[in-house]
Structure formats: C-alpha cells, structure tokens
Amino acid sequence: MVRGHSQEGFISPTASGVIELLEHLAHLSLEGKKVLIVGADGSLEAALHCLLQRKGAMSMTCDWQTPHLQKKLHQADIVVLGSKKPQEIPVSSIKSGKIVINCSPIVLSGDSDIHYNDGITSQGVGPVAAALRMQNLAESSRRWIQAQQYKKWNLHCLKLQPLSPVPSDIEISRGQSPKAVEVLAKEIGLLADEIEVYGRSKAKVCLSLLERLKEQPDGKYVLVAGITPTPLGEGKSTVTVGLVQALTAHSHVNSFACLRQPSQGPTFGVKGGAAGGGYAQVIPMEEFNLHLTGDIHAITAANNLLAAAIDARILHENTQSDKALYNRLVPSINGVRAFSPIQISRLKKLGINKTDPSSLTTEEISKFARLDIDPSSITWQRVVDTNDRFLRKITIGQASTEKGFVRQAQFDIAVASEIMAILALTDSLKDMKDRLGKMVVANDKKGHPVTAEDLGITGALTVLMKDAIKPTLMQTLEGTPVFVHAGPFANIAHGNSSVLADKIALKLVGEDGYVVTEAGFGADIGMEKFFNIKCRASGLVPNVVVLVATVRALKMHGGGPNVTAGTPLAKEYIEENLQLVQAGCCNLQKQIQIAHQFGVPVVVALNVFKTDTRSEIDLVCKIAKESGAFEAVPCNHWSVGGRGAVELAQAVKGAASQKTNFTYLYDLELPIVEKIRTIAQQVYGAADIELSPKAQSKIEVYSQQGFGNLPICMAKTHLSLSHQPEKKGVPTGFILPISDVRASIGAGFIYPLVGTMSTMPGLPTRPCFYDIDLDTETEEVKGLF
C-alpha cells in the first residue's frame, strides 16, 4: 500500500470500511481532519494510517492506557475504535459532535455494548467490512482467471557492448549480468507456481502451463539445420541464438530458442561447449555446459538401473526354482501376500485374471515368475556421459558371486540412450511412463520381446525422470528466453530438442511470435529425423527451415584440405578462393533440395567468419537463391549479437508467411527395408542399400513382433552425405551398408546402424579438457570455450 502497489494485493476490508463510512457520514472531505485511532493492532493501524493520509487526514494512534487519553479524544474530530473500550473509560470522554467508528471484533461480529450520548455520530463497520470482504473474494477470483489467460510479454532486453577483437565466449558470458530467472519468467507470462528455480539463472518450467494455455494459438515454428559440417561445427546453435536475439531484441517480436542440452562427451572431447558463441550465446555458459539441472544424470541413472535389473533377473532365474523365485517376487509381509500394481499388469498381459497370489497354478507361477531372457538377444546397454572408447566392448559378470554368468556387453554414451530419445519425444508425464514401459530390452528364448514393464521397473524409471521431463528456462546474452531440454545425438539418435519445450514455447510466444528450434548436424541427418520422427510425435508443422552454411565448410566440400579439430586451418580456408567455394556449393544445393522434398521454404544463413571475403559471401548467397532458397543472407551475430542477424530475422518472417505444403518422406506402412532405402536414395543420394545378415535377421524379427510400422532413425556419420566421412561434396552411386538394426520401441523408431557407426565416441589425442581449469580462489571456470 505504501508503495502504491495495492492492485497486486488486497486492502484490509475493515480499514476500507472505515474510510467508506467516514466519507458517507461526514458528507465532506476528510482533508485536514484529525483522526484518533485507539486500540488498533499493527496491520489495521498501518492500513488506516495509509488510507487516511491519502485522503489528507491527520491520523494519530494510541492505546486505551495512553496518558491524557481524554484530552486526545476531545481534540480529535473523528475517533476510530480498533478494540473493545474498557469499562473504566467513560463514554463522556468523547464530546458531542464527534464521529465514532467502531471496528472492534465485537462490532465486527454484530454485537455492540457501547451507547453514546446525543450529538455523537456512531457507526459500526461490521456490515460494510463483510461486504468489502466479499468484494475482495470476487476480485481475487477475477485476478486468478485473468492470470490463467495468455499475457502479453513485458520483456526488458539486455544491452550489448560488443568489443573488437571479439573476446572468448566465456569472457563475453561473464561480462553480461543475466536477469534473475524469476524476473524473466514473469516477463514472458509464466506464473509463480509454474517454475521451479535452480539457482539464480535457470528454472524448470512445469507442464501444467500447457493445460492453462491450451486455447492459445501457436506461434510460427522455425527449424535451424545445416549443411554437412566440418569437425569444428558451423554454428547452428550460434545462428539459433543470434536469430532470436534479432527477432526479439531488435525487431520487437516475441521469440523463443529451443536448444539441446550439451553432452559432457563433446564438451570435454573435441567440440567444446554448445551454448552458441561470441555475442550470440546462452548465459551463464558454464552452467549451460556443465550439469545444468541434472537431466543427463537422471537419464544415466534410469538407464543403468534398467541394465542392472536385466542381469540381476537372469541371475536369479538361473539359480532359483519356480517356487523360490515366486516367493521372493511376491513376499509375505506381516502375513499378507499381495501383487504390486505393475505385477497385476504383467498378469493381465499373460492372460491371468487373478489378484490373489495363493490362487495361481504351478504353470501360472512359472509363466509369471520367469522372463526367460535370452542373454544373446539383450540390446539394452549401460551408458556414461563421457567419450570412452574402451567401453565399446566389455565383459561383465566375472566376479565369483555371479556364478559363471559372464557375457559380453558395451557402454553407449548417455545421450544415445533410448531414455534420452523418449524424453525428447514425449508430450506428457503419462506418455513418458507408457513409453518407458514399452522399451524392449531383449527377447525371451521363444523370440518374444521383453520390456521394461515385464521387469517391473517402469514406475521406478518414471520417478527418476519426473523432474527431467520439465524444460529448463535460461536466457540469451540479450535477455531473450531459451528452453534447454534433452540432448540426443543426431548421428546416433534423432538429434532434436524436446517436443515439450517446443510446444510450451509455441504457446508462450503468442500467435505472432516465433519458436526457433535446432536440429543436429546436417540437414540429411538432424532435419530428416526432425520431420519424419519428431513432427510425427508432436503433430507440429514447421513454417520454415533456416539452413546454416559457412564458407569454410563449402571450401572443404569443394576439395579443400582436411579440417581437423585442434590443428590450424590450411591457407585455403583463410584466403579468398572462389573456385573452392563454387565447387563446394553442391552440398548446400543438395541440402536445400532435401528440405524442399518436405515442402518447407528454406532461408540460407551464411555464418560469416572474419576471414570470409565479400566476393565469397556474395557468391554463396547468389548460388543459394538460384538453387531455390527463399532468401540467403550473411549473418554477423557472432561478432555483434542480434543486430548482426536482423536481415536473417526479416527473411525468416517473410518465409514463414509463405504457404507450406509439408509432407513426410515415406509412409509408415512401408516395409522397414523400403523405408531405409527411401532415406538412403532420396536424402543421401545412394544407389541402393546393402543389409548385413545380422541386419536382415533383426528386421525380420522386428517385423514379426509388430514393429514394422515405426519411422526410421538412421545412425550415420555426420561428416558426409554418405557413410564414409572422407567423401565430401555430394557423393552419388554408392551402396549404403547397414551393419545392424536396433529397435527403440519406447521412443518409437527403428534404429539402423550405417557402416562402422559407433554409439560410443572416443577422445582425440588432445581433448578439450587440456584447456579446462578452475581458479581455486575465485571458483571461476577457465578454458571451457
């Protein structure tokens, strides 16, 4: 009240009632009147003082034991009684002509034991206070309803002061002070109970927001993909961040960036951080790149719990009789035996409609207790979020306590886990739980699939993932909002951030806003999977594709020397060479053509480096437009922030207004082999595919098990359109070898491995961790990027 923010709270109905009665009884202004408040408590006293002062009255307070009370009563024009008058104080203390307002608890309840002399105007505030209390209740309801509705953004962007030469990413990140995440959340229309704050600069966003804003129209949906990159990456995350900074901070349009959470593997391996770069990045970049809110750790824990459950179940089944196994699975607790809910689900799946553990027959006990897993068919692997090549093949069970149950296994990188793919594709907590239960981990000895639900672990996995399902809210250098959620590799998994982050962001930006989401690696991998897998899961239709290219990568595709992380670039990459650029544009043209197959307009964003010349830039943009791009624009957001991507923002707005004719590449009803062939020929440019005997056998099994109508998630190198990383440009006429096929049934796709593709990357000779350190005095991270 003192600060003038009473519209955010509620004024005491008793205090408001006093003012209303005074104005009614006095029939004149309260300006200059002397008001004595007697016996009021702290909250009522403070409210009365504030309201009376606003009306120009002079207010004083005292209690009933105050010395010279009678003199003060005589001097006052108006007396407000905040508590019951003691018997020893005579009514005659208040002289004729005064106004007395009684708001003591007795009067509020409808009773009164004070009788005044003639000439004193007395009034109890009880009925008025009751009416105002009901008015507050109505106002509270109105505010609640209003709060549930979509709010216009009141975003205050942060100013940039770009330096030249551009400092390191981590120096730039530390040079900007991010807004408190609670402030950012309020600016974009999130309610206080819809965020869970992690520190000062990041927060989880609750899924209840989707229900609250379900009637709100979605904004425009923009996908950022890229040409086939060099091992250094071409800046898709940087372009994504630069574009939203340009849209919101400089074009005053609501926009949201949706990015993947980076894996520790590349962060400490080859690539380094993934928060964008230069003056187009997510801050604080250390928090973005290290642990964040623990989602990958939750995935690792859930994945490995399931792996442990598989081997433990095989061991116990191998060493116990049916009866002993059943008695341990359904123990007697305090003399009572009962099936858990997940065990009842298994009974129903087996066609056993019983709920009393003592009523099962010997045959039913055996069916229930034994999963009879075939160890050679186990597809579920343990994971760790580190590039560790020596875990690509391991032997487990060598301790004597495992009683000779030894088998070969392997570790995958955590972000390649099916649980990560599920996190990225789910649309609700219930859907995630259902998907986790459907995960096929092996076959039994009769060839039937064994699922996580069969192992009784679905609920435990969901508990471990209950917080990870919520997207994490952060901000760009210019204070625009970012969702960071999920992080599947695009060359191994489907390589896109989460459906939930996109859906929530599309509601928050409003009908005229933009959500910019990033696909991994080249358009032949990340974009193809975005359209054929993620769009099928989400039901969302993209409006435009932003295709990121660099002169550096185009020179490589035109025949330039190898580009290797950690070694200086050859002179061809830092000097003008139009011939190499023109020759390499074939890869850009191919990626534009791939996007057009899906019926989506393309804007080419040329991520400009300081060594690029004007002639090289103009040549790329000219060829891109001649190849069917809606527009092609050079971008300088890395060096100056969103201001350097304003032209890109304008192009995206223009392309997004075009009519799209979105279509999937293949029909799900096609046989698995034909879907693989379609991707190989129409996207990669292969002449045909070649299935290994192992892959052929797996396809037959999955088809027989009823999984043949799932989309395809190709695991292929990102460094070439083909399966051979050294083949640059646009290779054609090759045969694409499929070495193995796996099934991610919970995630909802079939997973072919192309060539020698590994699901566990290795560390290079000189990993990024050589440059990473901690200042033990300031606790500042150094060398992260």
Side-chain angles (χ1 to χ4, degrees):
M1 288 174 64
V2 171
R3 293 174 181 171
H5 295 161
S6 57
Q7 70 278 5
E8 296 180 5
F10 294 95
I11 297 174
S12 159
T14 303
S16 295
V18 169
I19 302 301
E20 288 211 9
L21 286 176
L22 286 175
E23 291 184 326
H24 173 72
L25 293 171
H27 298 296
L28 48 85
S29 171
L30 291 173
E31 185 78 32
K33 294 288 190 296
K34 296 178 182 178
V35 181
L36 180 65
I37 304 167
V38 186
D41 61 19
S43 59
L44 177 59
E45 176 188 342
L48 283 169
H49 271 306
C50 189
L51 293 174
L52 287 165
Q53 285 171 10
R54 286 184 187 176
K55 297 294 182 180
M58 296 178 289
S59 59
M60 300 169 289
T61 58
C62 65
D63 55 38
W64 292 107
Q65 285 73 42
T66 297
H68 313 297
L69 175 61
Q70 186 170 358
K71 179 179 178 182
K72 291 180 179 181
L73 288 169
H74 273 276
Q75 291 173 342
D77 300 312
I78 299 167
V79 177
V80 177
L81 307 182
S83 60
K84 184 180 178 182
K85 181 184 75 65
Q87 292 291 334
E88 62 271 18
I89 297 177
V91 175
S92 59
S93 298
I94 304 173
K95 66 179 183 178
S96 179
K98 299 299 173 82
I99 296 174
V100 177
I101 303 295
N102 195 341
C103 51
S104 70
I106 289 179
V107 173
L108 291 176
S109 65
D111 299 325
S112 177
D113 62 348
I114 304 178
H115 301 283
Y116 297 97
N117 300 323
D118 291 341
I120 295 177
T121 304
S122 172
Q123 184 72 52
V125 79
V128 177
L132 291 172
R133 190 170 288 110
M134 287 189 285
Q135 184 174 302
N136 279 355
L137 179 61
E139 173 63 13
S140 173
S141 302
R142 187 191 66 78
R143 290 186 194 177
W144 184 88
I145 292 169
Q146 191 176 49
Q148 305 309 302
Q149 298 168 349
Y150 178 79
K151 291 187 185 69
K152 284 187 68 177
W153 286 15
N154 184 28
L155 193 70
H156 293 84
C157 294
L158 304 176
K159 299 297 182 183
L160 283 184
Q161 293 181 323
L163 301 176
S164 183
V166 177
S168 70
D169 291 351
I170 201 163
E171 288 176 302
I172 293 171
S173 175
R174 289 197 184 124
Q176 183 67 287
S177 297
K179 293 177 282 189
V181 72
E182 299 98 326
V183 173
L184 174 64
K186 187 174 182 180
E187 288 178 346
I188 62 174
L190 289 167
L191 305 182
D193 61 358
E194 289 174 338
I195 63 168
E196 297 169 3
V197 177
Y198 283 64
R200 186 180 183 276
S201 54
K202 54 190 182 291
K204 287 285 192 182
V205 174
C206 299
L207 306 188
S208 58
L209 183 145
L210 279 173
E211 177 62 24
R212 176 169 71 85
L213 298 182
K214 63 183 177 182
E215 302 301 327
Q216 170 66 22
D218 289 346
K220 297 288 195 301
Y221 197 30
V222 181
L223 173 68
V224 176
I227 65 170
T228 304
T230 69
L232 305 177
E234 308 317 306
K236 287 193 313 302
S237 300
T238 310
V239 169
T240 300
V241 175
L243 175 54
V244 295
Q245 289 181 168
L247 283 166
T248 299
H250 299 273
S251 302
H252 311 294
V253 176
N254 290 355
S255 72
F256 231 110
C258 291
L259 299 175
R260 292 170 295 161
Q261 180 183 348
S263 164
Q264 179 182 304
T267 297
F268 289 94
V270 176
K271 188 179 179 184
Y279 287 100
Q281 58 173 302
V282 181
I283 56 172
M285 67 93 76
E286 305 104 300
E287 294 183 26
F288 181 96
N289 286 305
L290 301 172
H291 306 295
L292 200 62
T293 48
D295 294 355
I296 293 179
H297 301 316
I299 289 163
T300 302
N303 185 101
N304 293 342
L305 177 63
L306 178 52
I310 295 166
D311 289 314
R313 185 60 175 264
I314 294 172
L315 172 69
H316 293 311
E317 288 189 23
N318 286 345
T319 56
Q320 297 180 51
S321 66
D322 289 354
K323 183 178 179 182
L325 192 61
Y326 183 66
N327 287 340
R328 285 177 170 84
L329 288 171
V330 194
S332 176
I333 300 174
N334 297 326
V336 178
R337 294 183 75 184
F339 293 117
S340 67
I342 201 166
Q343 289 178 325
I344 291 174
S345 296
R346 173 159 169 76
L347 288 169
K348 290 179 179 177
K349 179 180 176 181
L350 295 170
I352 303 172
N353 296 313
K354 296 179 179 178
T355 56
D356 181 2
S358 63
S359 66
L360 269 63
T361 66
T362 302
E363 182 183 355
E364 289 170 339
I365 286 173
S366 181
K367 282 177 66 178
F368 170 80
R370 294 200 175 275
L371 298 180
D372 212 18
I373 294 171
D374 177 3
S376 68
S377 72
I378 295 173
T379 55
W380 195 262
Q381 309 297 348
R382 289 163 173 82
V383 299
V384 62
D385 195 37
T386 304
N387 291 357
D388 191 346
R389 65 177 68 245
F390 285 91
L391 294 178
R392 289 172 178 170
K393 192 169 287 294
I394 60 172
T395 303
I396 62 172
Q398 295 191 76
S400 60
T401 50
E402 277 39 84
K403 303 180 181 180
F405 175 55
V406 177
R407 70 178 180 91
Q408 279 200 338
Q410 70 182 58
F411 271 78
D412 293 338
I413 194 161
V415 289
S417 169
E418 183 176 354
I419 297 178
M420 172 63 88
I422 287 173
L423 177 66
L425 292 171
T426 191
D427 63 7
S428 68
L429 194 58
K430 181 182 183 304
D431 178 63
M432 183 177 73
K433 183 177 180 180
D434 291 343
R435 286 174 178 267
L436 291 172
K438 290 176 184 175
M439 293 187 301
V440 174
V441 300
N443 292 331
D444 65 19
K445 291 174 183 175
K446 294 179 181 177
H448 301 132
V450 177
T451 66
E453 185 82 2
D454 293 326
L455 284 156
I457 201 170
T458 308
L461 299 181
T462 308
V463 167
L464 287 171
M465 293 294 295
K466 71 179 180 66
D467 293 320
I469 196 174
K470 302 165 189 170
T472 300
L473 177 66
M474 295 187 75
Q475 63 194 281
T476 68
L477 274 166
E478 297 192 55
T480 67
V482 177
F483 274 142
V484 187
H485 200 214
F489 273 11
N491 57 347
I492 298 173
H494 68 87
N496 288 276
S497 62
S498 76
V499 166
L500 279 168
D502 290 359
K503 284 191 168 184
I504 293 172
L506 283 164
K507 296 298 182 187
L508 286 171
V509 295
E511 193 170 5
D512 298 322
Y514 291 79
V515 170
V516 184
T517 190
E518 177 196 359
F521 294 126
D524 56 304
I525 302 182
M527 185 189 73
E528 180 270 314
K529 294 173 183 177
F530 175 89
F531 289 145
N532 284 317
I533 297 174
K534 184 176 178 180
C535 288
R536 277 189 163 104
S538 68
L540 300 172
V541 176
N543 296 95
V544 60
V545 168
V546 173
L547 194 64
V548 179
T550 62
V551 168
R552 177 181 68 193
L554 292 172
K555 286 180 176 178
M556 179 191 71
H557 288 296
N562 285 338
V563 176
T564 305
T567 60
L569 289 170
K571 66 180 180 63
E572 287 86 348
Y573 296 106
I574 56 179
E575 296 176 359
E576 184 175 289
N577 192 320
L578 297 176
Q579 185 178 352
L580 281 181
V581 172
Q582 181 151 9
C585 278
C586 61
N587 188 273
L588 173 60
Q589 292 168 311
K590 173 64 175 175
Q591 303 287 18
I592 293 171
Q593 178 218 330
I594 294 169
H596 284 163
Q597 286 186 78
F598 294 93
V600 182
V602 177
V603 172
V604 172
L606 184 62
N607 192 18
V608 175
F609 294 172
K610 63 182 179 181
T611 53
D612 299 344
T613 68
R614 185 76 253 172
S615 297
E616 289 173 332
I617 293 168
D618 291 343
L619 178 60
V620 174
C621 293
K622 175 177 175 290
I623 293 173
K625 285 188 274 190
E626 290 173 351
S627 303
F630 176 85
E631 187 58 270
V633 294
C635 304
N636 296 286
H637 46 272
W638 181 83
S639 56
V640 297
R643 180 164 54 87
V646 169
E647 190 180 351
L648 174 63
Q650 291 169 345
V652 166
K653 287 160 69 177
S657 65
Q658 302 292 302
K659 185 176 180 181
T660 60
N661 186 28
F662 178 70
T663 182
Y664 297 116
L665 185 67
Y666 51 78
D667 191 318
L668 291 180
E669 300 307 314
L670 281 175
I672 293 174
V673 173
E674 290 308 310
K675 285 182 282 197
I676 296 172
R677 182 175 284 114
T678 299
I679 296 171
Q681 292 177 336
Q682 296 189 31
V683 178
Y684 307 154
D688 205 350
I689 62 172
E690 181 179 71
L691 299 174
S692 71
K694 182 179 181 181
Q696 183 65 57
S697 174
K698 291 275 197 74
I699 288 172
E700 290 172 2
V701 169
Y702 294 143
S703 299
Q704 290 168 4
Q705 291 176 338
F707 305 140
N709 62 346
L710 294 176
I712 303 299
C713 183
M714 303 285 275
K716 180 185 79 72
T717 179
H718 60 291
L719 297 174
S720 173
L721 284 162
S722 74
H723 59 289
Q724 297 172 292
E726 68 277 7
K727 299 288 186 183
K728 305 303 182 183
V730 183
T732 57
F734 58 92
I735 304 298
L736 192 75
I738 308 299
S739 59
D740 194 6
V741 177
R742 301 177 187 173
S744 294
I745 305 305
F749 53 71
I750 299 295
Y751 176 13
L753 272 67
V754 178
T756 58
M757 189 66 205
S758 172
T759 51
M760 170 55 82
L763 289 172
T765 305
R766 191 188 188 282
C768 293
F769 61 64
Y770 273 83
D771 302 310
I772 297 172
D773 200 359
L774 183 74
D775 187 315
T776 54
E777 292 186 4
T778 64
E779 297 188 14
E780 283 191 344
V781 177
K782 296 181 177 180
L784 188 59
F785 205 69

